[in-house]
Amino acid sequence: MISSRRKAAAVLAALAVTVTLAGASTASAHADHHEARKPAVASVTGSATFELPYWKDKDVRSFSFDAHGTPYTHALPNGPQGMPFDAEGTVKVSHYVAGQNVTYTAEGRVDCLVTSPHTATLTAVITKVSPGGPDWVGKRMGFSVQDGGKGEPDRVGFSWNGLNLDDKGQDVPVGTCMAPAPYAPVVKGGYTVKHAELPSPPWKK
């Protein structure tokens, strides 16, 4: 027969295992809860070719976006400690001009992104333009995106070609996250917009 002392030792060992497993389960659940509470980050990704609904031609125009929200990271001199729509990433522009049989390209650094479900507006400061391209280096350009999903076509909008003028017909500087509605339908490729609510300042939590 098993002695009382051996029975007691077996019971204590079983209890120790149970407590250990329960502790591990609680720690895992706490980690999962902490992970779930991480704030969502807005983003716009993808590449697509689009057409102008008001100007039919044989040109080929495309945008590529890899933009991600980085709230409250771009402190301004003598200003706020960053804004909720601060962002980073890249924008690439390509325009094949059929009449000249040449493709002009440009790249920009994303500085602002704001979203709503399925739509986004972003801006980028142009850092590079191919030879013969427009005089954009150092200028901020605005873009908008509609992620149509399965029901509607994706669309884009942009802040040039007459869409950012003053009352004298002159181009004016583009502010952060400023762009017209996404009016140009995508004909090839597509975009994904991940929406996230604009977070409160971390110093006010």
Side-chain angles (χ1 to χ4, degrees):
M1 296 180 63
I2 301 175
S3 67
S4 297
R5 182 175 296 177
R6 292 180 62 186
K7 286 183 178 180
V11 170
L12 288 175
L15 285 174
V17 171
T18 301
V19 171
T20 300
L21 291 176
S25 177
T26 301
S28 177
H30 179 75
D32 290 344
H33 180 66
H34 179 72
E35 190 73 20
R37 291 184 61 186
K38 282 187 177 180
V41 176
S43 65
V44 180
T45 56
S47 180
T49 301
F50 60 91
E51 63 181 9
L52 300 179
Y54 56 87
W55 189 265
K56 304 298 183 180
D57 57 22
K58 295 182 179 180
D59 288 11
V60 180
R61 304 169 176 87
S62 66
F63 295 152
S64 297
F65 301 114
D66 184 15
H68 304 268
T70 57
Y72 303 102
T73 57
H74 299 175
L76 300 175
N78 302 317
Q81 301 176 47
M83 301 297 283
F85 25 77
D86 289 342
E88 63 182 17
T90 57
V91 169
K92 295 182 180 181
V93 176
S94 176
H95 183 183
Y96 169 72
V97 183
Q100 302 176 24
N101 192 30
V102 65
T103 298
Y104 298 113
T105 61
E107 296 182 17
R109 172 182 52 81
V110 175
D111 64 355
C112 188
L113 169 65
V114 63
T115 64
S116 63
H118 311 296
T119 61
T121 300
L122 63 154
T123 46
V125 177
I126 301 301
T127 57
K128 184 188 304 184
V129 176
S130 64
D135 182 21
W136 284 356
V137 173
K139 294 183 179 180
R140 178 180 291 109
M141 314 302 279
F143 304 86
S144 59
V145 180
Q146 175 180 297
D147 179 352
K150 296 181 179 179
E152 296 289 338
D154 291 357
R155 292 175 176 270
V156 294
F158 50 98
S159 64
W160 61 95
N161 278 7
L163 286 160
N164 190 53
L165 306 176
D166 62 16
D167 56 2
K168 295 181 180 179
Q170 301 297 314
D171 285 325
V172 295
V174 174
T176 54
C177 278
M178 295 291 101
Y183 57 87
V186 164
V187 294
K188 183 179 180 181
Y191 301 110
T192 299
V193 173
K194 181 180 178 182
H195 170 60
E197 298 295 340
L198 297 175
S200 301
W203 55 86
K204 287 195 173 184
K205 292 182 178 179

